[in-house]
Amino acid sequence: METTTSSSVSDFDTNPNSNSNSSSSPHTSNSTAFGVNLSPLRVFRYPLSTFLEYSGLLRVRHENPETDLLLPDNPTPNSSESTTSSNGEVSIRIIGSGENDRVRSDDGSVMDGGEREEERGSNVEGSTSSGSGNNRDSSYQRYDIQQVARWIEQFLPFSLLLLVVFIRQHLQGFFVIIWITAFMFRSNDILRKQTALKGERKITVLLGYFLVFMLHISGIYWWNRKDDIFYPLLMVPPKAIPPFWHAIFIILVNDTMVRQAAMTLKLVLLMVYKNGKGHNFRRQGQLLTLVEYMLLLYRALLPTPVWYRFFLNKDYGSLFSSLITGLYLTFKLTSIVEKVRSFLTALKALSIKEIHYGSHATPEQVNAAGDLCAICQEKMNTPILLCCKHIFCEDCVSEWFERERTCPLCRALVRPADLRSFGDGSTSLLFQLF
């Protein structure tokens, strides 16, 4: 005989802490999010762990980190919790003595109590073996991430203090580097805009920028006249062996100031080719490209005297210092050879007067094409016939091929893949440190 009874349990009996939790939830909702305590003190003390917990990569830990090792990741509920349902009802099943030994299985067969317990144990063991293995691996991974995050949090404050002290010791150097870098970026934008103006450029504006650039270069070198930064400009090593950070400072200042001086030379070219149309525009672009590749070659040689003096330090031993210096000069030679090839290619392109991406169109060809440029939508001015048989103004197509290599209409490859053009007046902004 089988009886089933059901009794209703009050909410206060099944969850005695429900009132206290509900009353305290408005107070904690302001400082918690998704179960993570976002109080300012916790964020300040454990910034990385708080972020990982908030993103869900780590489980929420207690305020005392050492107690996490004593708590399991997946606590198992006790027997009293497993017997209660979520709606507060308790079901009790009473099985008679006759039915205790023999129970009908799901497929209709009758099995003894021992067989039923053995089958239940095997099912439970099979279902939990895979899940426990995955949970164990996940727990190990999260534990490793948590330990790395704690180590970083312990190391981060001291690293920040060292960084602050380092900046304070080299405050003037940081100020100079930030200032000249910002000035160089702004000067590059100005030069590109003036190049794009073509015939609308004003000599007075270009002359004003030229004077500002020259005064800036003179002021920087006068301010750092005691830092022994002039000798590398002449490919002469410094008198004394510079410390590492001082060597970096010398190289950065000279590298930036050399680029600033090249910008002043480009301003002079813009003054000379003020009209900037047709043949003059092509010649202006070729000269700007030649100046840039000459600058790249000189910048590749510029750090060599500084690092030569730095590596050739007899305090490390003659054999060791000579070996390191020889390796550096070998590596430097490979990069210089590449820069020399680029410079010679740019110089060769300047000596070629013919248009390498087309030829001048005849009047019959212009009339057949409609005597209308597809780029400027105006009448043809010095028309150029491309190898794909499309015709454009020389001024328009020369400016187009400063940026592209294909025809503006059919996208056929017209210009060969040669050197990068700097005809727009731009300057390479990457630092040359070694």
Side-chain angles (χ1 to χ4, degrees), residues 235-271:
M235 296 296 130
V236 178
K239 294 181 179 179
I241 299 176
F244 176 76
W245 294 111
H246 188 62
I248 294 291
F249 175 77
I250 293 175
I251 293 172
L252 288 178
V253 171
N254 284 332
D255 184 68
T256 307
M257 290 297 100
V258 164
R259 281 181 284 181
Q260 196 72 55
M263 291 180 186
T264 60
L265 180 58
K266 292 179 180 180
L267 286 175
V268 174
L269 292 177
L270 294 183
M271 295 179 194

Side-chain angles (χ1 to χ4, degrees), residues 25-261:
S25 59
H27 175 71
T28 59
S29 60
N30 295 329
S31 60
T32 60
F34 302 102
V36 181
N37 185 8
L38 296 180
S39 61
L41 180 59
R42 179 180 177 81
V43 174
F44 179 76
R45 292 181 59 188
Y46 313 109
L48 187 58
S49 297
T50 304
F51 172 75
L52 294 176
E53 292 171 1
Y54 183 80
S55 60
L57 297 177
L58 294 177
R59 62 183 178 86
V60 181
R61 67 177 184 178
H62 300 276
E63 292 298 330
N64 187 8
E66 285 75 11
T67 59
D68 291 345
L69 302 177
L70 304 177
L71 298 177
D73 290 337
N74 297 318
T76 57
N78 52 27
S79 59
S80 62
E81 292 177 350
S82 61
T83 56
T84 58
S85 60
S86 61
N87 57 2
E89 295 183 355
V90 180
S91 298
I92 302 175
R93 181 179 181 183
I94 302 175
I95 302 177
S97 59
E99 297 179 355
N100 190 20
D101 295 334
R102 300 180 62 82
V103 178
R104 184 175 298 274
S105 62
D106 295 336
D107 56 356
S109 61
V110 179
M111 64 179 67
D112 295 334
E115 296 178 356
R116 181 169 56 88
E117 293 295 335
E118 181 178 357
E119 181 181 1
R120 181 183 302 174
S122 61
N123 293 335
V124 171
E125 181 180 359
S127 62
T128 58
S129 59
S130 59
S132 62
N134 295 332
N135 292 335
R136 189 181 300 108
D137 295 339
S138 177
S139 300
Y140 288 157
Q141 293 176 359
R142 293 190 177 185
Y143 176 76
D144 294 338
I145 296 175
Q146 198 169 22
Q147 293 300 315
V148 172
R150 291 176 183 173
W151 181 83
I152 294 176
E153 288 170 351
Q154 294 176 359
F155 185 71
L156 185 61
F158 185 71
S159 302
L160 294 178
L161 291 177
L162 291 180
L163 179 61
V164 171
V165 174
F166 177 76
I167 294 176
R168 178 61 185 87
Q169 292 176 347
H170 304 83
L171 186 60
Q172 180 180 343
F174 274 101
F175 175 77
V176 172
I177 295 299
I178 293 174
W179 168 258
I180 63 177
T181 303
F183 194 93
M184 182 190 63
F185 274 79
R186 180 57 181 167
S187 301
N188 184 59
D189 293 338
I190 291 174
L191 193 60
R192 295 182 62 181
K193 290 179 181 179
Q194 291 297 320
T195 306
L197 289 178
K198 295 184 179 179
E200 299 179 0
R201 295 192 292 261
K202 297 181 180 180
I203 298 295
T204 55
V205 176
L206 296 176
L207 186 59
Y209 284 135
F210 176 82
L211 294 177
V212 171
F213 290 177
M214 291 300 297
L215 289 176
H216 178 255
I217 296 172
S218 303
I220 293 298
Y221 277 108
W222 178 83
W223 182 267
N224 299 278
R225 61 188 181 277
K226 298 180 180 179
D227 291 330
D228 201 16
I229 63 176
F230 297 100
Y231 294 99
L233 294 174
L234 304 176
M235 296 296 130
V236 178
K239 294 181 179 179
I241 299 176
F244 176 76
W245 294 111
H246 188 62
I248 294 291
F249 175 77
I250 293 175
I251 293 172
L252 288 178
V253 171
N254 284 332
D255 184 68
T256 307
M257 290 297 100
V258 164
R259 281 181 284 181
Q260 196 72 55

